[in-house]
């Protein structure tokens, strides 16, 4: 008989303790301990620690067991071993990888138990080997895969976040109304009534739900976020907070809850004291953000609470609670809607807010219907006004946040109301259907949006279709009893989601915007003035530049004139001295030829400066010459370059030359210099007339103009250089100025006339006035299209021949035509 290894094990072990009933015999106690497997020891039920012989898996165990087989106390344990084997046999049926193939052990009788145990041990060891091998592979594999898994997981998370961000951006750009769907849990009442859930929400699909009214029907709906029955208020607000924060950045925000009665609209918006909703949390967030930004922006908050009940607006913060007080919606200048006379209570902390919310809730019209014990019978609206001023830029903004808890949509027939309650329901349904119409019109981009069909839509006009960030909670019931309403709410919400009202824009304080408008106007006006001033400044600068040029030219002319004056004076002195010499010579010769009969009375010289040389004893009495100021001036010959004025009082010798007077210029007709043999007479007649008309307007002598520096033709009246021109220096000066001014006044300058030319300065190619005169005549004689460039025309021989001389008739016509134009 083979030794019983179990008996051996039992002898060396402490008394067996029962294994936990729940753990299967093969369950691993410690992964790293191969021997610590319950199934290694079929008698594990009896011995927690398997016998060492069994762990080695040899048949020696059987021999050891046989030695103690006859011991009385261990017989009881044998019975236990039998139980264990039976259990193994049963487990053997459970699968391919079962430890024992049951058919082989089924018929093992008690005496063969040790052999069976040996077999089991062997099997166990084989399995352990395989386990170790696989474990190593698994560890290796997991080591290899883990980084990849982590990387992929991170990538997936990042992608999800990016997708969400992009989606939100898209929504912002398109100005879509965000729609969150919230499904409440089945109420105990509904469970008792045996209602089933018709809504399926997959937690991994956070924006999708399936509406399953029956086994055959299944309709998916997509929203911006779907909250299931297990999602709490915090989870809901964590998705809402981004929209709430926008109001702090100057955007208008509107959050409203829509749904059938009793689906949790009030629960979502207001919540309960121990589990507060969006209203309270949003205001808490506003104060928190204001605290954070206090270093750069100063915020002030105020709250208004109103309700729309039976198409009437009631102020819920009005302490008088005057039911007769009517509040109307008026449109502001900036196009926004405003309820005039609405109480706007300032709030400084969240406790103030809570007080106001409670006060408003007390005033709210609440009725009771069969659908819901505390069903709200009016639309409740909380308006939070946020005013901000940037402490650095002083930029101000004013934005509103509307928190709206709509009255429940319901089927009147279902609720079974009558009388006042029926009327309320009708009003509620009317306003909700007006809301539906507005949404439909917005979704289909109609030109007319019927906002004014109800007070509710009129109030929410800028929130639904304006530059506002809008978030809608569609509240649904999962109950199969409400599947009709749930489906219509889901359909309505899907339509709302398609509405695009353009990107939201930041709001500025109306007072501020008025100020900005005025400033813009002022700025525009000043800009206009500036432009005008700039223009006149440029003109002045041009004038100044031309004046400077004139001044410079005049200066040069003055210098020239002074030089000429000096030259004349020098010349005068020379002539005087020559004259003196000649006189002396003639006197001397007369004296020598005619001896004096009586002694000559000699006159003593008066001056200190007697003539330095000369043979004569006669002294000339110096005639007094007056300078411009009538101061007697003596010319000092010893210093001819000196200023004559400086010689006052010193010089005794004066010039004998008579005072030079200006030769009067006879005002005469202006003479033409054009060399037009065949048309000379016509030209002279024309010029005579023209000169006469001009000279009648100007008193200045003008005749010298035409002759100065010109190579006149022989037939012209002013031909030659020796005309009646003033020969004095002053006259020369005068001529020069006259030349410049007259030419600029009475002749049109050529198109490219320069200031220098205008001032009478000589152009590079010839005398200054030649070009002007040429132009003057050319302009009158030559057609405009022929006058390609100044200087061409009648002074161009070929052209002259062609245009004037060769075609006298044409020239005359042109001349007459031009003359008419000129006269006009
Ligand atoms: N998500 C939720 N989790 C737990 N309970 C909820 C949830 N939503 C709603 N409830 C419960 O359902 C009941 C009805 O909710 P609530 O009064 O907010 O509905 P309602 O839509 O505002 O109704 P009404 O249109 O009549 O105002 C309340 O007792 C509320 O506590």
């Amino acid at each position: 008989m083979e030794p019983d290894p179990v008996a051996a094990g039992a002898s060396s072990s402490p008394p067996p303790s029962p294994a936990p009933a729940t753990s299967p015999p093969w369950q691993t106690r410690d992964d790293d301990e191969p021997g610590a497997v319950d199934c290694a020891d079929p008698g594990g039920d009896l011995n927690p620690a398997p016998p060492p012989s069994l762990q080695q898996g040899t048949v020696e165990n059987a021999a050891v067991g046989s030695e103690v087989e006859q011991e009385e106390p261990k017989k009881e344990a044998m019975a236990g071993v039998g139980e264990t084997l039976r259990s193994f046999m049963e487990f053997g049926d459970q699968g391919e990888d079962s430890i024992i193939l049951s058919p082989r052990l089924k018929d093992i009788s008690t005496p063969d138990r040790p052999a069976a145990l040996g077999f089991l041990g062997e099997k166990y060891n084989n399995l352990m080997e395989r386990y170790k091998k696989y474990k190593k592979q698994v560890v290796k594999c997991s080591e290899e895969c883990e980084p990849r898994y982590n990387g992929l997981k991170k990538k997936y998370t990042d992608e999800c976040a990016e997708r969400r961000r992009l989606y939100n951006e898209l929504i912002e750009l398109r100005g879509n109304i965000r729609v969150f769907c919230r499904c409440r849990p089945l109420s105990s009442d509904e469970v008792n009534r045996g209602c089933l859930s018709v809504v399926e929400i997959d937690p991994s699909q956070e924006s999708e739900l399936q509406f399953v009214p029956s086994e055959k029907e299944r309709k998916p709906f997509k929203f911006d976020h779907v909250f299931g029955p297990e999602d709490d208020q915090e989870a809901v607000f964590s998705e809402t907070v981004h929209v709430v924060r926008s109001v702090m950045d100057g955007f208008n925000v509107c959050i409203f809850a829509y749904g059938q009665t009793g689906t949790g609209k009030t629960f979502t918006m207001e919540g309960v004291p121990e589990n507060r909703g969006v209203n309270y949390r949003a205001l808490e967030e506003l104060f928190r953000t204001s605290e954070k930004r206090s270093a750069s922006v100063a915020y002030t908050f105020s709250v208004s609470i109103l309700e729309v009940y039976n198409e009437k607006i009631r102020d819920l913060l009005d302490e008088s609670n005057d039911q007769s007080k009517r509040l109307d919606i008026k449109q502001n200048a900036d196009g926004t809607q405003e309820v005039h006379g609405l109480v706007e209570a300032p709030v400084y902390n969240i406790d103030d807010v809570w007080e106001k919310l409670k006060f408003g809730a007390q005033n709210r019209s609440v009725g009771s219907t069969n659908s819901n014990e505390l069903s709200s019978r009016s639309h409740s609206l909380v308006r939070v006004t946020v005013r901000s001023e940037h402490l650095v830029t002083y930029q101000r903004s004013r934005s509103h946040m509307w928190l709206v808890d709509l009255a429940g949509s319901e089927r009147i027939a279902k609720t079974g109301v009558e009388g006042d309650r029926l009327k309320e329901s009708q009003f509620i349904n009317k306003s909700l259907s007006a809301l539906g119409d507005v949404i439909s019109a917005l979704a289909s981009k109609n030109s007319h949006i019927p906002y004014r069909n109800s007070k509710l839509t009129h109030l929410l006009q800028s929130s639904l279709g304006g530059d506002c960030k809008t978030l809608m909670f569609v509240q649904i019931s999962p109950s199969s009893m409400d599947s009709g309403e749930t489906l219509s709410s889901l359909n309505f919400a899907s339509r709302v989601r398609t509405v695009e009202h353009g990107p939201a824009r930041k709001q500025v304080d109306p007072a501020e915007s008025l100020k900005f408008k005025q400033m813009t106007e002022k700025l525009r006006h000043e800009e206009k003035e500036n432009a005008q001033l700039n223009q006149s400044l440029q003109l002045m600068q041009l004038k100044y530049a031309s004046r400077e040029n004139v001044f410079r030219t005049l200066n040069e002319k003055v210098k020239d004139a002074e030089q000429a004056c000096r030259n004349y004076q020098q010349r005068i002195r020379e002539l005087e001295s020559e004259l003196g010499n000649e006189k002396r010579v003639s006197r001397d010769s007369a004296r020598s030829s005619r001896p004096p009969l009586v002694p000559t009375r000699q006159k003593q010289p008066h001056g200190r400066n007697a003539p330095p040389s000369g043979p004569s004893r006669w002294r000339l009495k110096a005639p007094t010459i007056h300078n411009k100021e009538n101061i007697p001036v003596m010319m000092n010959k010893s210093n001819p370059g000196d200023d004559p004025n400086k010689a006052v009082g010193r010089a005794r010798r004066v010039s004998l030359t008579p005072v030079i007077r200006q030769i009067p210029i006879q005002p005469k007709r202006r003479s033409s210099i054009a060399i037009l043999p065949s048309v000379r007479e016509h030209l002279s007649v024309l010029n005579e007339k023209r000169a006469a008309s001009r000279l009648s307007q100007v008193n200045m002598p003008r005749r010298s103009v035409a002759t100065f520096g010109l190579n006149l033709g022989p037939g012209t009246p002013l031909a030659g250089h020796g005309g009646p021109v003033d020969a004095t220096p002053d006259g020369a000066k005068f001529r020069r100025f006259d030349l410049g001014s007259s030419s600029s006044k009475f002749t049109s300058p050529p198109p490219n006339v320069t200031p220098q030319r205008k001032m009478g300065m000589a152009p590079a190619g010839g005398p200054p006035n030649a070009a002007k005169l040429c132009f003057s005549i050319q302009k009158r004689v030559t057609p405009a299209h022929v006058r390609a460039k100044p200087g061409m025309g009648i002074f161009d021989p070929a052209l002259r021949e062609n245009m004037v001389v060769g075609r006298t008739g044409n020239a005359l016509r042109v001349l007459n035509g031009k003359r008419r134009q000129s006269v006009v």
Side-chain angles (χ1 to χ4, degrees):
M1 191 181 143
E2 280 186 45
D4 188 350
V6 178
S11 66
S12 61
S13 304
S17 62
T22 50
S23 2
W26 62 85
Q27 193 175 12
T28 314
R29 277 194 225 120
D30 184 345
D31 285 347
D32 299 329
E33 289 276 335
V37 176
D38 288 346
C39 66
D41 183 6
D45 290 335
L46 307 171
N47 307 309
S53 55
L54 192 58
Q55 286 177 24
Q56 288 158 18
T58 60
V59 281
E60 288 164 18
N61 298 333
V64 177
S66 64
E67 287 174 15
V68 290
E69 192 183 5
Q70 288 139 10
E71 287 178 27
E72 276 298 315
K74 290 164 189 166
K75 281 186 180 171
E76 288 169 27
M78 292 291 284
V81 169
E83 281 295 310
T84 311
L85 278 173
R86 264 197 297 281
S87 72
F88 266 111
M89 285 190 294
E90 283 161 21
F91 282 117
D93 289 332
Q94 285 194 357
E96 278 182 9
D97 269 348
S98 61
I99 297 167
I100 300 156
L101 295 171
S102 57
R104 290 184 61 184
L105 284 177
K106 250 181 194 168
D107 301 328
I108 292 175
S109 58
T110 312
D112 296 330
R113 268 186 224 143
L117 283 173
F119 171 77
L120 282 175
E122 203 176 328
K123 188 83 179 165
Y124 166 78
N125 284 339
N126 287 343
L127 283 172
M128 280 312 295
E129 284 301 314
R130 276 176 67 194
Y131 164 75
K132 275 185 206 167
K133 202 171 99 189
Y134 287 132
K135 192 181 175 188
K136 265 185 199 162
Q137 279 180 5
V138 167
V139 168
K140 198 176 155 200
C141 198
S142 72
E143 271 171 9
E144 277 174 11
C145 290
E146 201 168 351
R148 273 185 66 199
Y149 165 75
N150 286 338
L152 284 172
K153 195 175 160 190
K154 192 173 175 310
K155 255 189 183 176
Y156 174 74
T157 323
D158 291 352
E159 282 299 315
C160 281
E162 183 62 11
R163 191 174 57 86
R164 197 160 183 73
R165 192 187 64 76
L166 286 173
Y167 174 75
N168 278 335
E169 219 166 80
L170 183 75
I171 294 283
E172 293 261 318
L173 287 173
R174 289 207 317 221
N176 279 107
I177 298 178
R178 287 178 184 76
V179 180
F180 290 173
C181 178
R182 189 174 191 188
C183 179
R184 67 161 170 80
L186 279 169
S187 67
S188 52
D189 189 32
E190 287 162 340
V191 171
N192 290 342
R193 283 203 238 165
C195 295
L196 296 172
S197 175
V198 290
V199 177
E200 278 179 15
I201 299 168
D202 181 356
S204 64
Q205 300 285 326
E206 56 185 28
S207 57
E208 206 175 306
L209 68 81
Q210 303 274 344
F211 177 67
V212 197
S214 67
E215 272 185 17
K216 289 175 192 163
E217 277 180 86
R218 178 173 286 268
K219 193 173 178 192
F221 285 94
K222 270 199 160 196
F223 298 107
D224 295 289
H225 207 287
V226 174
F227 299 101
E230 66 289 340
D231 286 318
D232 58 4
Q233 303 278 59
E234 206 176 325
V236 171
F237 188 70
S238 69
E239 291 295 323
T240 316
V241 71
H242 311 292
V243 182
V244 169
R245 274 185 205 140
S246 299
V247 76
M248 301 292 278
D249 301 326
F251 292 97
N252 280 340
V253 166
C254 176
I255 302 172
F256 68 98
Y258 172 92
Q260 180 202 349
T261 295
T263 47
K265 297 182 294 295
T266 313
F267 184 79
T268 297
M269 296 308 290
E270 288 176 17
V272 285
E274 63 279 5
N275 207 1
R276 282 166 181 169
V278 169
N279 291 4
Y280 185 88
R281 287 171 196 266
L283 276 146
E284 219 175 24
E285 178 62 29
L286 296 191
F287 282 109
R288 206 178 299 133
T289 313
S290 149
E291 191 70 28
K292 269 191 220 161
R293 299 185 187 173
S294 59
S296 56
V297 190
Y299 286 101
T300 52
F301 303 101
S302 51
V303 172
S304 309
I305 305 176
L306 60 152
E307 72 167 356
V308 180
Y309 176 70
N310 287 358
E311 280 300 291
K312 281 183 207 132
I313 299 171
R314 277 186 58 210
D315 190 345
L316 295 183
L317 287 187
D318 187 5
E319 298 200 343
S320 66
N321 207 6
D322 184 5
Q323 299 282 332
S324 61
K325 188 177 165 186
R326 275 180 68 97
L327 292 172
D328 279 324
I329 307 164
K330 300 261 165 63
Q331 188 152 326
N332 286 334
D334 56 350
T336 54
Q337 283 63 45
E338 182 63 64
V339 182
H340 285 269
L342 188 70
V343 173
E344 207 177 282
V347 285
Y348 304 101
N349 51 46
I350 195 65
D351 294 334
D352 286 349
V353 173
W354 191 236
E355 284 300 311
K356 299 294 172 207
L357 291 178
K358 270 201 297 192
F359 187 79
Q362 276 169 16
N363 280 346
R364 196 175 173 194
S365 303
V366 174
S368 160
T369 65
N370 295 345
S371 290
N372 187 3
E373 271 302 295
L374 290 169
S375 175
S376 44
R377 311 300 304 158
S378 63
H379 309 295
S380 151
L381 302 101
V382 177
R383 192 185 73 181
V384 184
T385 307
V386 181
R387 287 188 178 82
S388 71
E389 183 177 11
H390 201 279
L391 298 178
V392 180
T393 60
Y394 299 107
Q395 198 181 349
R396 285 187 191 170
S397 73
R398 190 198 70 174
S399 46
H400 291 305
M401 178 167 69
W402 286 97
L403 302 162
V404 185
D405 177 10
L406 295 176
S409 61
E410 58 197 323
R411 274 180 295 164
I412 294 167
K414 185 183 173 187
T415 50
V417 289
E418 50 188 27
D420 280 353
R421 292 285 162 271
L422 177 66
K423 198 176 150 198
E424 283 173 358
S425 291
Q426 282 168 342
F427 273 118
I428 290 167
N429 285 352
K430 187 188 159 210
S431 58
L432 288 176
S433 80
L435 179 66
D437 293 342
V438 166
I439 296 294
S440 293
L442 285 170
S444 49
K445 293 190 167 56
N446 279 4
S447 54
H448 173 68
I449 315 291
Y451 290 114
R452 295 188 180 211
N453 281 3
S454 81
K455 287 274 188 301
L456 175 72
T457 48
H458 198 185
L459 260 178
L460 297 180
Q461 179 171 343
S462 52
S463 307
L464 294 169
D467 44 16
C468 171
K469 294 193 178 184
T470 311
L471 167 63
M472 169 178 157
F473 280 101
V474 56
Q475 298 285 147
I476 54 168
S477 153
S479 167
S480 50
M481 262 173 55
D482 302 320
S483 61
E485 281 83 1
T486 302
L487 183 62
S488 83
S489 293
L490 289 172
N491 282 331
F492 177 75
S494 300
R495 226 163 2 133
V496 171
R497 204 168 167 244
T498 61
V499 172
E500 288 175 20
H501 54 43
R505 93 184 140 81
K506 282 191 178 187
Q507 306 294 314
V508 285
D509 199 331
E512 192 83 344
S513 73
L514 191 74
K515 209 173 88 187
F516 278 137
K517 260 186 200 167
Q518 284 170 351
M519 277 168 72
T520 316
E521 267 310 303
K522 208 177 151 191
L523 200 70
R524 214 171 286 154
H525 185 71
E526 281 176 359
E527 262 177 13
K528 244 187 212 170
E529 270 185 2
N530 256 3
Q532 281 174 356
L533 283 174
N534 259 346
Q535 257 184 0
S536 54
L537 183 71
Q538 278 174 1
L539 273 175
M540 298 285 276
Q541 276 173 345
L542 278 176
K543 268 189 187 172
Y544 175 73
S546 74
R547 290 272 157 87
E548 258 202 344
N549 268 340
V550 171
F551 179 68
R552 210 174 300 131
T553 320
L554 285 176
N555 253 352
E556 276 168 19
K557 284 183 179 177
V558 167
K559 270 182 203 161
D560 287 353
E562 277 174 1
Q563 185 57 44
C565 188
R566 273 195 292 275
N567 293 344
Y568 276 117
Q569 282 172 354
Q570 176 65 27
R571 180 78 185 125
I572 288 166
R573 276 193 293 273
E574 283 168 14
L575 286 172
E576 277 174 357
S577 106
E578 271 175 31
L579 187 68
N581 287 344
E582 277 174 18
K583 277 185 178 176
R584 260 194 308 278
V585 170
S586 64
R587 260 199 307 270
D588 286 352
S589 63
R591 203 177 295 147
S592 60
S593 64
R594 186 166 48 95
L597 298 175
V598 288
T600 310
R601 204 175 108 226
Q602 284 188 351
K603 198 172 183 180
Q604 288 303 313
H606 295 291
R608 285 173 290 163
N609 296 339
S613 63
S616 176
R617 290 184 293 120
W618 294 96
R619 294 289 179 266
L620 292 169
K621 187 180 178 194
T624 308
I625 188 166
H626 292 83
N627 66 4
K628 285 179 188 171
E629 287 82 27
N630 284 332
I631 299 164
V633 176
M634 295 297 288
M635 294 302 177
N636 189 358
K637 200 178 179 189
S638 63
N639 200 2
D642 282 358
D643 189 343
N645 293 335
K646 287 181 186 172
V648 175
R650 276 196 293 121
R652 289 289 182 268
R653 191 162 167 262
V654 292
S655 172
L656 297 174
T657 316
V659 176
I660 300 163
R661 273 181 293 153
Q662 195 175 328
I663 299 165
I665 299 170
Q666 185 187 356
K668 239 182 137 181
R669 63 182 170 77
R670 191 174 166 216
S671 303
S672 169
I673 56 159
I675 312 163
L676 301 170
S678 55
V679 295
R680 190 175 299 149
E681 291 83 5
H682 297 280
L683 281 176
S684 61
V685 169
L686 172 71
N687 284 337
E688 265 180 33
K689 285 181 183 173
R690 197 170 293 158
S693 71
R694 285 173 187 172
L695 284 169
S696 66
Q697 294 165 22
V698 183
N699 293 325
M700 289 173 73
R702 303 194 43 71
R703 287 183 60 251
S704 60
V705 171
T707 55
F708 191 81
L710 283 177
N711 194 10
L712 298 175
T716 52
L718 294 178
H721 206 57
V725 178
D726 188 356
T728 59
D730 283 347
K733 203 194 302 181
F734 192 71
R735 270 202 312 281
R736 238 181 259 194
F737 293 131
D738 186 31
L739 204 78
S741 60
S742 69
S743 64
S744 64
K745 276 179 190 169
F746 295 102
T747 60
S748 307
N752 62 345
V753 68
T754 58
Q756 285 87 352
R757 277 173 158 237
K758 208 173 177 183
M759 290 310 299
M761 289 167 75
N769 289 316
K772 289 174 195 169
L773 282 167
C774 287
F775 180 77
S776 171
I777 295 159
Q778 169 193 357
K779 206 179 150 198
R780 284 158 179 76
V781 175
T782 318
H785 67 276
V786 178
R787 286 199 307 268
K789 54 180 181 180
M792 274 187 69
I794 59 164
F795 292 98
D796 182 24
L799 192 67
R800 186 177 61 209
E801 203 167 315
N802 277 342
M803 299 303 300
V804 182
V805 182
R807 296 181 188 175
T808 313
N810 281 351
L812 275 172
R813 267 200 301 282
V814 169
L815 178 70
N816 288 334
K818 293 288 165 187
R819 188 177 140 223
R820 268 198 298 280
Q821 279 176 19
S822 166
V823 169
V824 170

